[in-house]
Amino acid sequence: HDLDEALKLGDRIAIMKDGAVVQIGTPEEILTSPANDYVKEFVQDVNRTKVITASTIMKKPDAVASHKDGPAVAVRKMKEAGISSIFVSDKDRHLKGIVNIDDATRLVKEGNKNLESIIIEDVPTTSPDTSIDDLLPVAINTKYPIVVVDDNKKMLGIIVRVSVLAGILGEEGENV
């Protein structure tokens, strides 16, 4: 059978060896957590970009600012996390946008206490079930992480470029 096609279309897949089931799971489970070396070898040439999804490679953001936080709080959170931009959400974690360190620092120097004027709303978003294949063009062309959101625009996680590359290489759970 065409393994790439089966993994792309199937909800649950069974891998058999010598008439015995070796592993049953979703295509992503089989690719990301093969039961043994036989399964790992069996799926090694699969085009992972069509099977692995955003939910598998996303991570929790290092820090998130509330839309009610002032620029000083945003700057402090960025410094603590060692990042140069921070996502902004409302109290229910609905994405508002992103703020960068330069703009937040400028507001602090100006004595401005409101983040609203510097929130960049045009940030890339995706659903949890988007394949790496569909994320590649976005990851290549964005300067910000891609935000994984549900249907109500609630933040579920973020995807940084290196996570897309790691997903292609089969290193989802490893530190790249």
Side-chain angles (χ1 to χ4, degrees):
H1 298 285
D2 183 347
L3 183 58
D4 279 318
E5 193 67 15
L7 288 171
K8 193 169 108 181
L9 297 176
D11 291 333
R12 299 205 35 90
I13 307 289
I15 306 286
M16 297 179 73
K17 180 181 180 190
D18 300 326
V21 175
V22 179
Q23 183 173 0
I24 296 175
T26 66
E28 283 190 269
E29 289 169 347
I30 290 171
L31 285 176
T32 60
S33 301
N36 59 25
D37 288 339
Y38 173 77
V39 176
K40 187 175 185 177
E41 205 172 292
F42 189 75
V43 298
Q44 73 182 358
D45 294 327
V46 168
N47 182 351
R48 304 174 64 79
T49 66
K50 301 217 185 275
V51 179
I52 305 298
T53 62
S55 63
T56 300
I57 62 171
M58 72 180 184
K59 69 178 195 104
K60 183 179 177 200
D62 294 322
V64 176
S66 165
H67 71 293
K68 292 188 176 188
D69 286 343
V73 172
V75 168
R76 179 180 49 79
K77 286 182 177 183
M78 284 186 261
K79 284 183 179 174
E80 287 172 358
I83 54 179
S84 59
S85 59
I86 191 167
F87 287 101
V88 180
S89 68
D90 67 14
K91 65 180 173 56
D92 297 318
R93 294 195 55 88
H94 294 105
L95 178 65
K96 293 291 193 182
I98 194 167
V99 168
N100 67 51
I101 190 75
D102 295 333
D103 290 341
T105 303
R106 179 179 47 78
L107 284 187
V108 169
K109 287 179 184 172
E110 293 171 359
N112 190 326
K113 305 273 189 225
N114 190 333
L115 277 180
E116 297 290 332
S117 66
I118 61 167
I119 295 175
I120 301 163
E121 295 176 356
D122 186 26
V123 294
T125 61
T126 192
S127 68
D129 59 349
T130 304
S131 70
I132 290 176
D133 192 46
D134 292 334
L135 287 173
L136 273 172
V138 178
I140 290 167
N141 293 309
T142 185
K143 61 182 177 178
Y144 302 118
I146 301 166
V147 185
V148 182
V149 295
D150 66 12
D151 293 338
N152 298 316
K153 229 180 162 192
K154 183 175 179 180
M155 291 181 63
L156 303 175
I158 64 168
I159 300 171
V160 293
R161 271 189 241 211
V162 71
S163 297
V164 175
L165 298 173
I168 293 169
L169 298 173
E171 300 168 356
E172 299 85 10
E174 300 174 23
N175 291 326
V176 179

